[in-house]
Amino acid sequence: MAKQELKRDLKNRHVQLIAIGGTIGTGLFLGSGKAIQLAGPSILFSYLIIGIALFFVMRALGELLLSNAGYTSFTEFATEYVGPWAGFVTGWTYWFCWIMTAMADIIAVGVYMQYWFDIPQWIPALICLVILLGLNLLTVKLFGELEFWFAIIKVITIIALIVVGIILLIIGFNTNSGTVSLTNLWNHGGMFPNGISGFLLSLQLVVFSFVGVELVGVSAAETANPRKNIPSAINKIPVRILLFYVGALFVILCVNPWTQLDATSSPFVEVFALIGIPVAAGIINFVVLTSAASACNSGLFSTSRILYTLSRNGEAPAKLEKLNKQAVPSNALLTSTIVVSIGALLSKLIPEQAFTVVTTISAICFIWVWSIILISHIKYSKTRPDLRAKSTFKAPFTPFVNYAILGLFLFILIVMLFAEATRLSLLLTPIWFILLVILYNSRKKYS
């Protein structure tokens, strides 16, 4: 009996907006407040460094995916070039990454809804989760449409912020915090007000801001004309990083001195409220809410596709490979949704620590996934020079840039070991990998 296959129903506009949505999430809208408090204006350099590194990761991912039309995700080329253990560990780790991220985002949905409604945060969190599950069960095209419109909302908000900020900068607008000026970047302790240590400590939060950038790779199996659409989406990543991250934060830091921004709230909300735009806080709260829902939507999509791929490769229960009539891996989707719903429970048990613990573990696991992509690409370049020679989307500066970025990731992990807020999560995360290695070595082939 022939295996069921995913449908290639994601069009170019879906892929482009999934790529944008993947690089704009809760980490930027909410997490950037804490990152700014750690690094001050030098946060701009943090986003540039991590953004450039991940662009090269994505170029490596793009070349690998296009080298074999049969690849449905990066777990398959990890298996081929690094080994079956790498595909197994990376697949389950990526699933775990997005489960943790989706938990953080579903928690955030509940928190944001409390702006309008005085109800326990787990209620809107679960309602949102059920709605997203229902929509994702229908067709992959509907997932693409959801992400398209979620991303449009985020893009319009950031562009509006940048345009308004530039106008205020040109006219020298006065706010309660002073005059909107470029001098706000260095007049409050310089570009590195907390020294190099504050800058280094911000890197983990910046890494979390970029989780999801690799979603283009996960959607490859359901993308129409991947040879055209995937390179197009990847090559636009640098422009998006400059505009949506560096541009937006540059404007925020010019409008409001970094010392005036609250680490626990969204700097986007604070800036719009500061310049006196009517109902700004409510509008931005809605945008941040849709951003969290979008990230959770991406989480459900990616975790279900990873479970589907693991099942196809005999590394997860066979039932998870089943597709419904709309060619959606429904069992995998339901399984992931049930696990994500635990996030509502976490927010009740450890409300203060939940977000930091979840995002730190997620960032560490994403570093593993991105590293495996780079290592796979190094192996591919050495063992398959024939495919490399034929490639129409070669990753530049291979393998030197691969080693440089792997070194950067190792350095970030070392920094996290010395930071009190991230040390415990870093020390606990290896337990996950140990469990996976034990499971891999002891497992029987699923049928």
Side-chain angles (χ1 to χ4, degrees):
M1 184 176 174
K3 284 193 172 184
Q4 295 174 295
E5 298 292 338
L6 299 171
K7 285 186 178 179
R8 291 189 178 273
D9 279 347
L10 293 177
K11 308 304 179 188
N12 181 50
R13 66 186 180 92
H14 295 139
V15 176
Q16 297 296 333
L17 270 294
I18 286 170
I20 293 175
T23 52
I24 310 170
T26 309
L28 174 63
F29 282 118
L30 188 62
S32 57
K34 187 174 181 182
I36 289 169
Q37 284 303 302
L38 284 170
S42 66
I43 192 66
L44 298 174
F45 302 126
S46 299
Y47 275 100
L48 270 176
I49 291 168
I50 301 299
I52 290 168
L54 289 178
F55 169 65
F56 285 110
V57 172
M58 289 301 296
R59 284 300 303 257
L61 173 63
E63 182 176 356
L64 284 165
L65 284 173
L66 297 177
S67 70
N68 184 335
Y71 288 150
T72 57
S73 80
F74 41 77
T75 59
E76 295 182 332
F77 60 66
T79 297
E80 182 172 345
Y81 293 111
V82 183
W85 69 269
F88 180 84
V89 172
T90 303
W92 280 107
T93 298
Y94 191 66
W95 177 81
F96 183 62
C97 284
W98 269 108
I99 286 292
M100 299 301 279
T101 304
M103 280 185 184
D105 289 308
I106 207 65
I107 290 167
V109 167
V111 172
Y112 298 143
M113 286 299 289
Q114 288 182 322
Y115 178 84
W116 294 292
F117 306 104
D118 185 19
I119 54 174
Q121 65 184 52
W122 64 268
I123 294 175
L126 286 182
I127 291 172
C128 176
L129 197 56
V130 170
I131 292 171
L132 291 176
L133 170 64
L135 293 172
N136 272 273
L137 281 170
L138 297 176
T139 63
V140 68
K141 194 171 183 180
L142 192 54
F143 162 79
E145 286 297 328
L146 278 173
E147 279 307 290
F148 179 84
W149 291 108
F150 277 146
I152 288 287
I153 292 170
K154 289 187 275 190
V155 168
I156 290 172
T157 302
I158 293 176
I159 291 175
L161 174 86
I162 293 171
V163 170
V164 169
I166 290 172
I167 292 170
L168 298 179
L169 194 59
I170 292 170
I171 66 175
F173 187 81
N174 285 311
T175 71
N176 295 333
S177 299
T179 304
V180 177
S181 170
L182 285 173
T183 59
N184 282 331
L185 291 174
W186 56 80
N187 273 358
H188 302 273
M191 290 295 290
F192 293 83
N194 294 327
I196 196 69
S197 62
F199 165 73
L200 295 176
L201 290 173
S202 72
L203 291 174
Q204 175 262 321
L205 287 163
V206 174
V207 166
F208 179 72
S209 293
F210 282 107
V211 302
V213 70
E214 73 301 311
L215 267 177
V216 171
V218 180
S219 65
E222 295 166 273
T223 301
N225 197 2
R227 293 197 171 277
K228 176 185 176 184
N229 296 337
I230 290 177
S232 174
I234 290 173
N235 283 336
K236 289 171 184 171
I237 286 174
V239 174
R240 288 162 183 162
I241 289 167
L242 285 172
L243 177 64
F244 299 127
Y245 282 98
V246 180
L249 291 174
F250 172 81
V251 166
I252 285 170
L253 292 167
C254 287
V255 171
N256 209 21
W258 74 272
T259 51
Q260 302 293 317
L261 295 170
D262 186 356
T264 61
S265 62
S266 170
F268 287 78
V269 175
E270 291 186 57
V271 166
F272 274 111
L274 184 70
I275 58 183
I277 295 178
V279 300
I283 293 170
I284 301 303
N285 193 71
F286 171 75
V287 172
V288 177
L289 173 65
T290 59
S291 176
S294 166
C296 187
N297 189 43
S298 297
L300 294 181
F301 173 83
S302 56
T303 52
S304 62
R305 269 53 179 185
I306 286 292
L307 283 184
Y308 167 81
T309 301
L310 287 168
S311 181
R312 272 188 65 171
N313 296 339
E315 294 170 336
K319 287 183 178 180
L320 297 177
E321 187 184 356
K322 184 183 178 184
L323 301 180
N324 63 16
K325 291 179 181 178
Q326 289 74 37
V328 171
S330 51
N331 288 347
L333 186 59
L334 283 165
T335 301
S336 293
T337 304
I338 290 167
V339 180
V340 170
S341 67
I342 296 170
L345 177 63
L346 273 181
S347 67
K348 190 173 183 180
L349 296 175
I350 47 170
E352 299 299 322
Q353 298 85 20
F355 191 80
T356 301
V357 169
V358 165
T359 55
T360 302
I361 292 174
S362 178
I364 296 165
C365 291
F366 270 105
I367 285 174
W368 167 275
V369 171
W370 296 333
S371 297
I372 287 293
I373 291 170
L374 291 170
I375 293 167
S376 298
H377 188 255
I378 293 169
K379 294 270 190 178
Y380 150 85
S381 301
K382 288 181 178 178
T383 61
R384 295 302 305 268
D386 54 323
L387 292 179
R388 174 90 174 146
K390 290 190 295 183
S391 174
T392 56
F393 193 56
K394 288 187 179 72
F397 311 119
T398 302
F400 309 106
V401 76
N402 301 55
Y403 289 118
I405 297 167
L406 288 169
L408 172 65
F409 289 158
L410 178 62
F411 178 72
I412 292 170
L413 292 175
I414 293 169
V415 169
M416 289 169 71
L417 183 62
F418 287 96
E420 189 177 344
T422 55
R423 187 183 302 121
L424 179 61
S425 296
L426 181 66
L427 294 174
L428 287 175
T429 305
I431 295 172
W432 167 256
F433 291 100
I434 292 168
L435 288 173
L436 284 180
V437 170
I438 293 170
L439 184 61
Y440 175 78
N441 289 324
S442 63
R443 85 195 200 287
K444 292 180 180 178
K445 203 76 170 170
Y446 292 106
S447 58

